[in-house]
Amino acid sequence: MKQTLVNSLAGVGLLTPTLLFANLVGEGPRLAPEDRITQGQIVEGELTLDEIRQAGMLIFSTPFNRYDGYGDGPHDESQPDNHSPDAGNRPTLQGNGTFLRVNGLDSQNCLECHSIVSNRTVPPTMGIGGGGGFSTSAMLRPVNIDVIDESFDGTAEYDGRLINPLFLFGTGGIELVAREMTFELQALKQNALDNPGTVVSLDTKSVNFGTIVADEDGNLDTSNVEGVDEDLVVRPFGRKGDVASAREFAMNALSFHMGMQATEKFGGEDADEDNDGVTNEISIGDLSAISIFVTTLDRPFQIESTKNNDGRKLFRQVGCADCHRPVMTTERRRLPYKLTGSPEAPFEDTFYEVDLSKPPTIFKSIFGAGIEVEMFSDLKRHDMGIALSETAFFQDEVQNREFITARLWGVADTAPYMHDGRALTLVEAILLHDNPGSDAGYAAENFQNLSDEDKNKILYFLMSLRMPKDPVSDLNNR
């Protein structure tokens, strides 16, 4: 296998002194073929959930190299540099041949950006599936970065997106809530189409996404839809709420950060769209394994204490809970898995499912129904105002100002805060909500008007929202 890889690399002119000696000890792919599983094994029930999770954890944690398919391959000077989020034909920084950093090619594995379980402890508590510090922030598609402040106004102009990485705990519960919301919104869309001229309110799980109305010809007016795309698919992942599933997020992240291309998106089996001489870098089975692993990570928890009750009440009274909904409930307990595509049909064409009320996730079950997901979010996009607006050239003004409601479970351990990590404390994060045009300005203003004693009650309550203590311990301790 290694000699075949060397031959294929030679064919595209990618051979380096390291790759020439593929038979030497330590040369070859970091993720061994025997440690990967296939989609067939998952679908046919040949593997236990823990065996699938173990395979997913290896994909999540393995520092990939060129033998695995890391990178974009040789640069084609006859083609314009690929500046999209998809990997392929990107330049490398100072011609180093490996990393770019400011538009991906910035890490070797998922763990580099998702490893801090708690920034509240000193030193920080590290673990698989955590968040990242500012130094691991993704710099998405910038063309210009004014690091020398040419206008001498204290602002380094930047036309990309700066994204501080979030922790991944509780992802399965989030995805199940979002799928059920999508399912209900699609039913409301059909109701509007079946009843032309009737204004249909888009309400799901006590969250309103505006209204729609259809005409006699089946045309749907979505001009009053808010906080969700016009296709009425709730996309709970990404700061912009633009990714529908953990599978899709993993697929995009692997290609953007590492140039590891999934066959599910990049040309199918045996395709080599980034021209690096390696095919099948991330198979359908690999993508299933990592998505099942991520969605079965431990969930954040709340420290139950009577002294936090006053803070919880004040949190509601000042208006924080209007968007940061403490609990979302589901009708189902089992999260189904499907390939990417057709997110508007969230429960069709599935191939596997996991009961989220059972280990390792153990979400609280509701008698005769689903689970409670205490994520403190409504999974809706909101205008966060001028002061928090981004300046990405590939987004319009509305998109630059809108962000999905941040999930507050685990917030005690997850500084820095906000989409780009600009707030180093919870108070800073709260006060940043109060700026012109912000949907949350009233809540931040109400917080500011509280006495210091009442402010501290809210902060004590927020500090009770903690991260898992020992994530993935059942796999790591084997």
Side-chain angles (χ1 to χ4, degrees), residues 339-360:
L339 305 186
T340 52
S342 64
E344 70 283 351
F347 298 110
E348 296 179 10
D349 302 319
T350 62
F351 63 84
Y352 189 77
E353 60 181 27
V354 170
D355 189 337
L356 297 179
S357 68
K358 296 181 178 180

Side-chain angles (χ1 to χ4, degrees), residues 100-131:
L100 176 57
R101 180 60 183 99
V102 291
N103 190 37
L105 294 182
D106 52 16
S107 54
Q108 283 186 263
N109 59 18
C110 305
L111 191 58
E112 285 189 38
C113 297
H114 296 284
S115 60
I116 300 177
V117 175
S118 177
N119 250 336
R120 187 179 181 183
T121 61
V122 179
T125 302
M126 311 302 286
I128 296 173

Side-chain angles (χ1 to χ4, degrees), residues 2 24 28 62 75 101 104 168 173 184 199 243 294 317 321-322 332 339 370-371 396 409 417 426 447:
K2 293 178 182 177
L24 294 180
T62 296
H75 194 262
R101 180 60 183 99
L168 304 177
E184 293 175 6
V199 176
V243 182
V294 168
Q317 289 173 10
D322 293 351
R332 303 163 178 79
L339 305 186
I371 58 173
D396 60 30
W409 57 357
Y417 305 109
L426 279 171
F447 175 83

Side-chain angles (χ1 to χ4, degrees), residues 5 28 32 69 87 93 114 118 129 157 173 177 184 197 199 213 246 253 287 289 293 300 305 313 358 386 393 468:
L5 177 60
L93 199 61
H114 296 284
S118 177
E157 305 295 342
V177 169
E184 293 175 6
V199 176
V213 61
L287 205 54
F293 168 70
S305 173
K313 292 178 182 177
K358 296 181 178 180
I386 295 173
F393 76 91

Side-chain angles (χ1 to χ4, degrees), residues 132 134 137-138 158 160-166 238-240 384-391 395 399-404 406 416-423 429 432-433:
F134 184 79
S137 295
Y158 176 71
R161 290 200 63 219
L162 185 63
I163 311 167
N164 188 238
L166 289 169
R239 301 285 189 170
K240 295 295 185 179
M384 293 306 295
I386 295 173
L388 293 176
S389 178
E390 296 179 316
T391 54
Q395 298 182 151
Q399 292 170 327
N400 270 319
R401 289 173 55 143
E402 283 190 343
F403 299 88
I404 195 169
Y417 305 109
M418 311 308 290
H419 61 280
D420 54 6
R422 69 178 67 189
L432 281 169
H433 286 63

Side-chain angles (χ1 to χ4, degrees), residues 19-127:
L19 295 180
L20 279 170
F21 301 102
N23 291 320
L24 294 180
V25 174
E27 293 300 300
R30 288 298 306 275
L31 186 61
E34 60 267 23
D35 289 330
R36 299 188 179 212
I37 60 177
T38 68
Q39 181 73 0
Q41 289 177 300
I42 297 174
V43 172
E44 298 301 323
E46 298 177 12
L47 302 168
T48 66
L49 174 59
D50 283 351
E51 287 173 332
I52 299 172
R53 293 172 60 227
Q54 188 78 42
M57 185 172 69
L58 284 176
I59 299 168
F60 187 91
S61 307
T62 296
F64 296 116
N65 64 26
R66 288 190 176 91
Y67 297 105
D68 296 290
Y70 186 93
D72 288 349
H75 194 262
D76 185 350
E77 295 182 4
S78 68
Q79 299 294 324
D81 294 340
N82 187 342
H83 197 63
S84 76
D86 293 336
N89 207 44
R90 286 174 287 189
T92 56
L93 199 61
Q94 296 181 324
N96 64 57
T98 304
F99 300 112
L100 176 57
R101 180 60 183 99
V102 291
N103 190 37
L105 294 182
D106 52 16
S107 54
Q108 283 186 263
N109 59 18
C110 305
L111 191 58
E112 285 189 38
C113 297
H114 296 284
S115 60
I116 300 177
V117 175
S118 177
N119 250 336
R120 187 179 181 183
T121 61
V122 179
T125 302
M126 311 302 286

